[in-house]
Coordinates of all heavy atoms in Angstrom, one line a residue:
I240 N 14.4 -7.7 -15.0 CA 13.4 -7.4 -16.0 C 12.1 -8.0 -15.5 O 12.0 -9.2 -15.1 CB 13.8 -7.9 -17.4 CG1 15.2 -7.3 -17.8 CG2 12.8 -7.6 -18.4 CD1 15.7 -7.8 -19.1
S241 N 11.0 -7.3 -15.7 CA 9.7 -7.8 -15.2 C 8.6 -7.6 -16.3 O 8.7 -6.7 -17.2 CB 9.2 -7.1 -14.0 OG 9.0 -5.7 -14.2
L242 N 7.6 -8.5 -16.3 CA 6.5 -8.5 -17.3 C 5.3 -8.8 -16.5 O 5.3 -9.8 -15.8 CB 6.8 -9.4 -18.5 CG 5.7 -9.5 -19.5 CD1 5.5 -8.2 -20.2 CD2 5.9 -10.7 -20.5
S243 N 4.2 -8.1 -16.7 CA 3.0 -8.4 -16.0 C 1.8 -7.9 -16.8 O 1.9 -7.0 -17.7 CB 2.9 -7.7 -14.6 OG 2.9 -6.3 -14.8
Q244 N 0.6 -8.5 -16.5 CA -0.7 -8.1 -17.1 C -1.7 -8.0 -16.0 O -1.9 -9.0 -15.2 CB -1.1 -9.1 -18.2 CG -2.5 -8.7 -18.8 CD -2.9 -9.5 -20.0 OE1 -2.1 -9.6 -20.9 NE2 -4.0 -10.1 -20.0
T245 N -2.4 -6.9 -15.9 CA -3.5 -6.7 -15.0 C -4.8 -6.4 -15.7 O -4.8 -5.6 -16.6 CB -3.2 -5.5 -14.1 OG1 -1.9 -5.7 -13.4 CG2 -4.3 -5.3 -13.0
S246 N -5.8 -7.2 -15.3 CA -7.1 -7.1 -16.0 C -8.2 -6.7 -15.0 O -8.3 -7.3 -13.9 CB -7.5 -8.4 -16.7 OG -6.5 -8.8 -17.6
Y247 N -9.1 -5.8 -15.5 CA -10.2 -5.4 -14.7 C -11.5 -6.0 -15.4 O -11.8 -5.5 -16.5 CB -10.3 -3.8 -14.6 CG -9.3 -3.2 -13.7 CD1 -7.9 -3.1 -14.2 CD2 -9.6 -2.7 -12.5 CE1 -7.0 -2.6 -13.4 CE2 -8.6 -2.2 -11.7 CZ -7.3 -2.1 -12.1 OH -6.3 -1.5 -11.4
V248 N -12.1 -6.9 -14.8 CA -13.1 -7.7 -15.4 C -14.3 -6.8 -15.6 O -14.8 -6.1 -14.7 CB -13.5 -8.9 -14.5 CG1 -14.6 -9.7 -15.2 CG2 -12.3 -9.8 -14.4
Y249 N -14.9 -6.9 -16.8 CA -16.1 -6.2 -17.2 C -17.3 -7.1 -17.0 O -17.4 -8.1 -17.7 CB -16.0 -5.6 -18.6 CG -17.2 -4.8 -19.0 CD1 -17.3 -3.5 -18.8 CD2 -18.3 -5.4 -19.7 CE1 -18.4 -2.7 -19.2 CE2 -19.4 -4.7 -20.1 CZ -19.4 -3.3 -19.8 OH -20.5 -2.6 -20.2
D250 N -18.2 -6.7 -16.2 CA -19.4 -7.5 -15.9 C -20.6 -6.5 -15.8 O -20.9 -6.0 -14.7 CB -19.3 -8.4 -14.7 CG -20.5 -9.3 -14.5 OD1 -21.4 -9.3 -15.3 OD2 -20.5 -10.1 -13.6
E251 N -21.4 -6.3 -16.9 CA -22.4 -5.3 -16.8 C -23.6 -5.8 -16.0 O -24.6 -5.0 -15.8 CB -22.9 -5.0 -18.3 CG -23.4 -6.3 -19.0 CD -23.8 -5.9 -20.4 OE1 -23.5 -4.8 -20.9 OE2 -24.4 -6.8 -21.1
G252 N -23.6 -7.1 -15.6 CA -24.8 -7.6 -14.8 C -24.7 -7.3 -13.3 O -25.7 -7.5 -12.6
T253 N -23.5 -6.9 -12.8 CA -23.4 -6.7 -11.4 C -23.8 -5.3 -11.0 O -23.9 -4.4 -11.8 CB -21.9 -6.8 -10.9 OG1 -21.1 -5.9 -11.6 CG2 -21.4 -8.2 -11.3
E254 N -24.2 -5.1 -9.7 CA -24.7 -3.9 -9.2 C -23.9 -3.5 -7.9 O -23.5 -4.4 -7.2 CB -26.2 -3.9 -8.8 CG -27.1 -4.0 -10.1 CD -28.5 -3.9 -9.7 OE1 -28.8 -4.0 -8.5 OE2 -29.4 -3.8 -10.6
D255 N -23.6 -2.2 -7.7 CA -22.9 -1.8 -6.5 C -23.9 -1.6 -5.3 O -25.0 -2.0 -5.4 CB -22.1 -0.5 -6.8 CG -23.0 0.6 -7.2 OD1 -24.2 0.6 -6.9 OD2 -22.5 1.6 -7.7
A256 N -23.3 -1.1 -4.2 CA -24.1 -1.0 -3.0 C -25.3 0.0 -3.2 O -26.3 -0.1 -2.4 CB -23.3 -0.6 -1.8
N257 N -25.2 0.9 -4.1 CA -26.3 1.8 -4.4 C -27.3 1.3 -5.4 O -28.2 2.1 -5.8 CB -25.7 3.2 -4.8 CG -24.9 3.8 -3.7 OD1 -25.4 4.0 -2.6 ND2 -23.7 4.1 -4.1
G258 N -27.2 0.1 -5.8 CA -28.1 -0.5 -6.8 C -27.8 -0.1 -8.2 O -28.6 -0.3 -9.2
E259 N -26.7 0.6 -8.5 CA -26.3 1.1 -9.8 C -25.3 0.1 -10.4 O -24.7 -0.8 -9.8 CB -25.6 2.4 -9.7 CG -26.6 3.5 -9.1 CD -25.8 4.8 -9.0 OE1 -24.6 4.9 -9.2 OE2 -26.5 5.8 -8.7
N260 N -25.2 0.1 -11.8 CA -24.3 -0.8 -12.5 C -22.9 -0.6 -12.0 O -22.3 0.5 -12.1 CB -24.5 -0.6 -14.0 CG -23.6 -1.6 -14.8 OD1 -23.8 -2.8 -14.6 ND2 -22.8 -1.1 -15.6
A261 N -22.3 -1.7 -11.6 CA -20.9 -1.6 -11.1 C -20.0 -1.4 -12.3 O -20.1 -2.0 -13.4 CB -20.5 -2.8 -10.4
T262 N -19.0 -0.5 -12.2 CA -18.2 -0.1 -13.4 C -16.8 -0.8 -13.3 O -16.3 -1.3 -14.3 CB -18.0 1.4 -13.5 OG1 -17.5 1.9 -12.3 CG2 -19.3 2.0 -13.8
S263 N -16.2 -0.8 -12.2 CA -14.8 -1.3 -12.1 C -14.4 -1.6 -10.7 O -15.0 -1.1 -9.7 CB -13.9 -0.3 -12.7 OG -12.5 -0.8 -12.7
F264 N -13.4 -2.5 -10.5 CA -12.9 -2.8 -9.2 C -12.3 -1.5 -8.5 O -11.6 -0.7 -9.1 CB -11.7 -3.8 -9.4 CG -11.1 -4.2 -8.1 CD1 -11.5 -5.3 -7.4 CD2 -10.0 -3.5 -7.6 CE1 -10.9 -5.7 -6.2 CE2 -9.4 -3.8 -6.4 CZ -9.9 -4.9 -5.7
N265 N -12.7 -1.3 -7.2 CA -12.3 -0.2 -6.5 C -12.4 -0.4 -5.0 O -13.5 -0.9 -4.6 CB -13.1 1.1 -6.9 CG -12.4 2.4 -6.4 OD1 -12.5 2.6 -5.2 ND2 -11.9 3.2 -7.3
M266 N -11.4 0.0 -4.2 CA -11.5 -0.1 -2.8 C -11.0 1.2 -2.2 O -9.9 1.7 -2.6 CB -10.6 -1.2 -2.2 CG -11.2 -2.6 -2.6 SD -12.7 -3.0 -1.7 CE -12.1 -3.4 -0.1
A267 N -11.8 1.9 -1.4 CA -11.4 3.2 -0.8 C -10.2 3.1 0.1 O -10.0 2.2 0.8 CB -12.6 3.8 -0.1
G268 N -9.4 4.2 0.0 CA -8.3 4.4 0.9 C -7.0 3.6 0.7 O -6.1 3.8 1.5
T269 N -6.9 2.8 -0.4 CA -5.7 2.1 -0.6 C -4.6 2.9 -1.3 O -4.9 4.0 -1.7 CB -6.0 0.8 -1.4 OG1 -6.3 1.2 -2.8 CG2 -7.2 0.0 -0.9
N270 N -3.5 2.2 -1.6 CA -2.4 2.9 -2.3 C -2.8 3.1 -3.8 O -2.1 3.8 -4.5 CB -1.2 2.0 -2.3 CG -0.5 2.1 -1.0 OD1 -0.5 3.1 -0.3 ND2 0.1 1.0 -0.5
M271 N -3.9 2.6 -4.2 CA -4.4 2.7 -5.6 C -5.7 3.5 -5.7 O -6.2 3.7 -6.8 CB -4.6 1.4 -6.3 CG -3.3 0.5 -6.3 SD -3.6 -1.2 -6.9 CE -4.1 -0.9 -8.6
A272 N -6.2 4.0 -4.6 CA -7.5 4.7 -4.6 C -7.2 6.2 -4.9 O -7.1 7.0 -3.9 CB -8.2 4.5 -3.3
G273 N -7.1 6.6 -6.1 CA -6.9 8.0 -6.5 C -6.1 8.2 -7.7 O -5.8 7.2 -8.4
D274 N -5.7 9.4 -8.0 CA -4.9 9.7 -9.2 C -3.4 9.8 -8.8 O -3.0 9.5 -7.7 CB -5.4 11.0 -9.9 CG -5.4 12.1 -8.9 OD1 -4.7 12.1 -7.9 OD2 -6.2 13.1 -9.2

Side-chain angles (χ1 to χ4, degrees):
I240 301 174
S241 61
L242 177 66
S243 65
Q244 177 172 307
T245 303
S246 301
Y247 290 74
V248 179
Y249 180 87
D250 186 359
E251 61 182 7
T253 61
E254 292 184 348
D255 61 18
N257 296 306
E259 299 176 352
N260 184 54
T262 56
S263 183
F264 180 93
N265 191 291
M266 292 290 285
T269 70
N270 285 327
M271 300 174 65
D274 54 21

